[in-house]
Amino acid sequence: MTRNSKAGLALIAPLLVLILAGFVLPIASTALKAFDNPEVSAALPRTTVALGQWDGAAPLPDAVPDAFVADLQDAMGNRAFGQMTRRLNFEESGMRSLFFKARRAAPGLERPYAQALAEVDPEWGRIETWQMLKTHSNPYTASYVLRSLDLRMEPDGTIVKVEPEQAIFVDLFIRTFAISIWVTVIAVLLGYPTAYVLSTLKGRMESLALLCVLVPFWISILVRSTAWFIILQREGPINAALQFAGLIGEPQAIIFTRPAVYIAMVHVLLPFFILPLLSVMKRIRADYVRAAASLGARPWQQFLLVYLPMTMPGVAAGALMVFMLSVGFYVTPALVGGLRDQMVSYYIAYFTNTTINLGMAAALSLLLLVMTGVLVAVAGKLMPGMGGKQGARS
Amino acid sequence: MSSENPPKEQFVRFEGVRKSYDGTVQVVRDLNLSIREGEFLTLLGPSGSGKTTTLMMLAGFEKPTAGKILFDGQVINDMPTYKRNFGMVFQNYALFPHMTVAENVAFPLRMHRFPKSEQAERVTRALDMVQLHRIADRHPTQLSGGQQQRVALARALVFEPKMVLMDEPLGALDKQLREHMQLEIRALHEKLGLTMLYVTHDQSEALTMSDRVAIFNDGEIQHIDAPSEVYDRPRNAFVAKFMGENNAVEGTVTARDGDVITLRTAAGRDLHGTAVDDLAIGQGAQVLVRPEQISLGGLPADGFDSFEATVADKIYHGDHLRIVLEIAGLGQVTATFAHAEAELHPEIGQTLTIRWRIANALAFAPDGPAR
Ligand SMILES: Nc1ncnc2c1ncn2[C@@H]1O[C@H](COP(=O)(O)OP(=O)(O)OP(=O)(O)O)[C@@H](O)[C@H]1O
Ligand SMILES: [Mg+2]
């Protein structure tokens, strides 16, 4: 390493630290959390060891129920035990009561424990119950990620679809990306002409118009979403105006519908599209379009063959920004959308705050991140001007 | 272009054309101008004199506020640019950054629906013409300024436009490249016989390249003629002072003999001048003498004014020598000498005899207050 590059490294060191602390570490810890599975081994340490020595095939060695009962006797009033039952109940309902029953009975049990447990509840006599316990005694699990894709692992290790009434996450991801794509498309269609008009204004008009774009930008997303909530509600001004104009008899349900989500999200995100595009448009001198005209291009050709391609980097940058932000949207759909309009972030918040299932929250976050990355990479390959070619040249 | 027919005298005509962007300031006032078919006409003038505006009106990017623009006898005021068929070269080249060099050059051919096979052939020929066939697949941002300029030139010429308009096409190039490109453009003009309207504010460029030069000031043509005429016989003081260098001596007209006037300076010294403007006795006037018209030595003779002068400064310029002379009653006068003449080795403080031809000392009315 030369002296220069050392000095350069020293200069960017604070930045590296910042990136590491603010970006890499949270993502890495989220990724870990999505696979982390400490509950069973924490609550049942001896059982975990015994299960580790078992190959998983029938018959169940006596060491396992022995260790289990010993653990149960220690687990009286233990917090880890409660967390474990919640964890296992998430995998299979009924587990919570099964374990509590066993714990209540534990002090009075007599050897052989396998049989005694089966008498407490026949479930304990089934090899599958123990297999499942073995699966989850592993400190790492794929089950959060699998569940986020509406899949689960059978005790024997095969991966199957979850029951239809539990299969909500694939739909959730599809919905999230569909809403994001539509919001992006609408923002592009509305924002492009707006940015163009803005780019042609001069002097006071320009500052004024820019202010109109920026002022909403400066107001918090929460405030703007709440404003839409008020505007769109049944007794809100839109319904009142439509009724007054005689266009509708009864107030229409606008709030808590998909269109309400689109309206509010596009409004919140439009400046993120307009601003990068505007800066690109401002830098395109009139000469280029004039040159095209002088070379025989009709107005539509001037636009399609020269102006549009030259503004593509701005479109790509703005669209990417809108798309990335909409994928993670939470407040706006939560306020103006119905239950069927909620996006992944809603469930991440739900698992974080309501059910305190951090594994699920982390798995959903991780999948959202990965899918978004893949989608953006694919879009970059397919769309000209969205990176690659343009960037390599300048 | 048919070579049998004589070139049209009024290929392009501006008739009483005016232009104002804001409704109050006239950027172009009452422009009357004819461009001959096949000529190289340059619009030359100080910044803001309306050259670009004139070009923009001809190209169709701006509409005249009043008057008519005719092309080949047809009024084109309302014809959109893309129908006018004029090739254009811009100061910043305006090459399309998302297209390769070859695609840029093919663009006008696509727009004018040339057959595919002919397109390829013409692109090749046009790039050969500007010696750029090797970089046909590069993008404009990968080219040097001179190369970009040549691509712009090839693109403007490849579809055989009826006329080529250039707005300071060499303005962004360094001096050497600019001189080289001047020759290339001039050679292309000769080879293709195109009508060219060229805008510049570099007068040596205008003088070396053009068949005719139109001097613009304040939205008006001050003088339009062949370069040597404009330089040697300027029609007014603005043109005289704008072109080349001048020593101006101001005074009052005390006598007049035909064209030749006698001017008395405030210090009471007399000199002669050839009147270009109408000057009456008693009126204020100025006499302009170019530094290169002043010669060393020589006896007083008919048709010459000669003076005793003291050398105040001398500056070596490589190909010539500049000497600042102090003439009693006239003030400081700058003269330039070729080396052959400079072999006289004037020293600072030395007194010399100098003279100039009265025919070359042009007399004009004093500069009016700026409009
Ligand atoms: N689009 C416009 N809007 C308003 N005023 C303009 C516009 N274009 C030019 N002007 C004004 O018109 C006048 C003439 O401008 P023009 O560009 O024709 O000058 P020019 O002779 O080409 O000067 P330069 O040598 O600096 O290019 C200038 O005072 C300029 O400020
Ligand atoms: Mg100009």
Side-chain angles (χ1 to χ4, degrees):
Chain A
M1 200 187 265
T2 65
R3 266 187 57 185
N4 259 343
S5 61
K6 261 188 203 157
L9 209 62
L11 277 177
I12 59 164
L15 183 69
L16 282 180
V17 170
L18 195 74
I19 289 175
L20 206 68
F23 194 66
V24 178
L25 290 182
I27 289 179
S29 80
T30 305
L32 280 181
K33 198 88 201 150
F35 296 100
D36 207 13
N37 194 32
E39 290 86 354
V40 172
S41 46
L44 307 172
R46 275 165 288 207
T47 318
T48 302
V49 173
L51 284 168
Q53 283 156 0
W54 173 41
D55 64 359
L60 183 72
D62 283 341
V64 175
D66 289 359
F68 183 57
V69 172
D71 279 336
L72 284 180
Q73 281 164 350
D74 281 1
M76 282 302 168
N78 185 333
R79 253 194 76 196
F81 187 80
Q83 283 170 352
M84 178 202 66
T85 56
R86 193 161 352 110
R87 167 76 185 90
L88 292 175
N89 207 57
F90 168 74
E91 294 296 332
E92 209 174 310
S93 49
M95 279 292 162
R96 195 176 162 82
S97 60
L98 187 64
F99 273 85
F100 274 106
K101 232 191 234 173
R103 191 174 72 171
R104 239 177 290 122
L109 289 182
E110 289 184 14
R111 287 175 193 274
Y113 288 134
Q115 214 173 333
L117 282 167
E119 277 160 19
V120 171
D121 192 314
E123 277 293 316
W124 289 117
R126 292 179 61 228
I127 191 84
E128 286 84 1
T129 309
W130 295 102
Q131 280 172 336
M132 180 203 169
L133 198 59
K134 176 177 166 61
T135 307
H136 292 291
S137 67
N138 192 314
Y140 296 104
T141 178
S143 66
Y144 294 124
V145 171
L146 288 175
R147 178 58 84 79
S148 299
L149 297 167
D150 293 342
L151 300 171
R152 81 186 152 80
M153 200 185 274
E154 291 280 302
D156 62 4
T158 54
I159 291 171
V160 296
K161 285 211 176 96
V162 298
E163 290 67 33
E165 70 272 13
Q166 287 191 341
I168 56 168
F169 295 112
V170 169
D171 270 357
L172 178 66
F173 277 109
I174 292 176
R175 185 196 307 154
T176 300
F177 286 111
I179 290 179
S180 301
I181 288 170
W182 275 114
V183 166
T184 308
V185 168
I186 298 170
V188 169
L189 294 180
L190 292 178
Y192 195 95
T194 313
Y196 177 74
V197 171
L198 285 179
S199 76
T200 60
L201 297 179
K202 296 226 160 60
R204 279 175 57 104
M205 282 303 289
E206 183 191 0
S207 325
L208 197 72
L210 205 59
L211 204 68
C212 291
V213 176
L214 280 175
V215 165
F217 196 59
W218 292 329
I219 299 170
S220 121
I221 288 184
L222 185 61
V223 173
R224 278 186 286 165
S225 303
T226 314
W228 278 111
F229 179 84
I230 294 165
I231 293 170
L232 296 172
Q233 64 188 321
R234 274 188 101 77
E235 296 79 27
I238 290 198
N239 264 321
L242 289 175
Q243 261 179 305
F244 182 77
L247 292 173
I248 52 172
E250 286 290 296
Q252 297 293 304
I254 311 174
I255 192 81
F256 308 139
T257 65
R258 192 61 62 83
V261 174
Y262 289 144
I263 291 172
M265 279 182 73
V266 167
H267 172 254
V268 166
L269 290 171
L270 208 47
F272 290 93
F273 179 74
I274 291 178
L275 292 176
L277 181 59
L278 184 61
S279 84
V280 169
M281 284 178 167
K282 280 259 169 217
R283 270 179 286 142
I284 299 179
R285 303 176 41 149
D287 285 357
Y288 291 99
V289 173
R290 288 180 164 177
S294 77
L295 298 170
R298 283 142 208 279
W300 64 270
Q301 291 170 316
Q302 295 162 22
F303 175 75
L304 275 187
L305 301 177
V306 174
Y307 193 75
L308 184 63
M310 288 186 70
T311 54
M312 266 328 266
V315 173
L320 189 66
M321 190 95 109
V322 170
F323 179 74
M324 300 284 253
L325 288 172
S326 6
V327 162
F329 248 50
Y330 169 60
V331 170
T332 310
L335 274 172
V336 304
L339 196 60
R340 301 283 310 153
D341 306 314
Q342 299 308 318
M343 300 167 65
V344 173
S345 300
Y346 178 87
Y347 283 87
I348 294 175
Y350 170 79
F351 282 120
T352 311
N353 301 326
T354 312
T355 66
I356 327 268
N357 185 342
L358 293 187
M360 236 3 241
L364 286 174
S365 308
L366 190 67
L367 280 175
L368 187 63
L369 185 70
V370 169
M371 289 186 200
T372 307
V374 168
L375 219 68
V376 168
V378 169
K381 279 266 182 295
L382 294 183
M383 279 203 333
M386 192 157 165
K389 236 173 125 194
Q390 209 81 23
R393 256 186 293 130
S394 47
Chain B
M1 232 165 269
S2 50
S3 46
E4 292 90 49
N5 298 338
K8 293 170 184 134
E9 276 300 313
Q10 306 206 333
F11 196 49
V12 174
R13 237 197 102 57
F14 287 80
E15 282 180 6
V17 170
R18 292 164 190 277
K19 176 69 188 178
S20 170
Y21 287 104
D22 54 8
T24 52
V25 182
Q26 294 276 319
V27 171
V28 170
R29 35 178 119 221
D30 198 24
L31 178 68
N32 292 290
L33 167 68
S34 297
I35 303 175
R36 266 183 231 128
E37 191 172 9
E39 85 168 322
F40 194 124
L41 176 66
T42 298
L43 310 185
L44 176 66
S47 195
S49 56
K51 309 179 296 288
T52 298
T53 303
T54 303
L55 202 77
M56 291 295 144
M57 288 192 289
L58 182 54
F61 302 135
E62 297 289 351
K63 277 207 186 353
T65 317
K68 280 189 279 190
I69 301 177
L70 295 97
F71 181 79
D72 217 354
Q74 192 194 347
V75 177
I76 56 167
N77 283 30
D78 293 321
M79 184 190 278
T81 302
Y82 69 88
K83 286 191 186 154
R84 294 194 185 194
N85 230 341
F86 298 155
M88 236 185 133
V89 181
F90 296 83
Q91 179 167 3
N92 72 337
Y93 323 128
L95 297 178
F96 306 136
H98 54 293
M99 300 183 194
T100 64
V101 165
E103 284 164 353
N104 263 284
V105 176
F107 187 83
L109 303 174
R110 269 167 71 200
M111 295 303 104
H112 289 104
R113 306 237 171 88
F114 281 67
K116 269 268 164 345
S117 55
E118 197 184 337
Q119 283 190 20
E121 187 190 316
R122 273 175 180 266
V123 168
T124 311
R125 239 190 304 143
L127 288 177
D128 275 346
M129 179 178 77
V130 293
Q131 293 138 41
L132 285 180
H133 44 274
R134 274 176 296 109
I135 55 165
D137 294 327
R138 291 215 212 144
H139 281 273
T141 46
Q142 300 167 314
L143 306 182
S144 73
Q147 289 172 326
Q148 292 186 42
Q149 187 52 261
R150 280 189 221 156
V151 176
L153 211 54
R155 187 178 70 174
L157 298 175
V158 69
F159 63 111
E160 286 179 9
K162 297 180 186 156
M163 173 163 195
V164 179
L165 314 179
M166 304 194 195
D167 192 0
E168 306 201 25
L170 307 181
L173 303 182
D174 66 45
K175 187 167 176 287
Q176 258 180 342
L177 195 53
R178 197 160 63 221
E179 283 168 4
H180 179 75
M181 289 301 296
Q182 286 171 8
L183 295 180
E184 280 195 26
I185 292 176
R186 179 72 217 185
L188 279 173
H189 169 252
E190 236 126 72
K191 191 167 134 200
L192 304 174
L194 278 166
T195 312
M196 289 206 185
L197 184 62
Y198 192 98
V199 168
T200 182
H201 52 222
D202 177 338
Q203 47 171 289
S204 85
E205 191 166 296
L207 294 177
T208 51
M209 296 177 78
S210 324
D211 295 324
R212 284 197 302 161
V213 180
I215 310 287
F216 266 66
N217 189 37
D218 238 351
E220 279 177 328
I221 293 184
Q222 304 291 324
H223 193 176
I224 173 166
D225 214 326
S228 58
E229 289 294 312
V230 171
Y231 191 86
D232 293 336
R233 273 182 278 280
R235 244 186 29 203
N236 59 34
F238 172 81
V239 178
K241 287 189 165 174
F242 182 71
M243 302 299 292
E245 268 189 278
N246 282 284
N247 294 296
V249 181
E250 293 189 9
T252 315
V253 181
T254 54
R256 176 157 190 161
D257 176 13
D259 271 355
V260 178
I261 57 136
T262 306
L263 187 80
R264 179 159 297 164
T265 66
R269 190 79 191 255
D270 278 355
L271 74 160
H272 298 95
T274 306
V276 177
D277 289 344
D278 208 11
L279 298 168
I281 293 172
Q283 205 183 327
Q286 54 181 336
V287 168
L288 304 183
V289 183
R290 293 196 188 280
E292 70 271 20
Q293 305 286 11
I294 299 174
S295 51
L296 276 180
L299 297 168
D302 242 12
F304 284 89
D305 259 354
S306 73
F307 297 93
E308 291 285 301
T310 315
V311 178
D313 199 2
K314 88 177 177 182
I315 304 135
Y316 178 71
H317 269 267
D319 58 341
H320 70 270
L321 196 65
R322 281 174 85 82
I323 297 178
V324 182
L325 299 160
E326 184 71 42
I327 303 176
L330 252 58
Q332 287 205 331
V333 168
T334 305
T336 55
F337 299 108
H339 281 300
E341 240 181 324
E343 268 165 21
L344 295 164
H345 292 302
E347 294 299 332
I348 291 176
Q350 190 184 339
T351 305
L352 301 169
T353 307
I354 55 156
R355 63 176 194 176
W356 59 72
R357 227 176 250 286
I358 292 169
N360 290 331
L362 301 180
F364 298 94
D367 294 336
R371 195 162 19 195

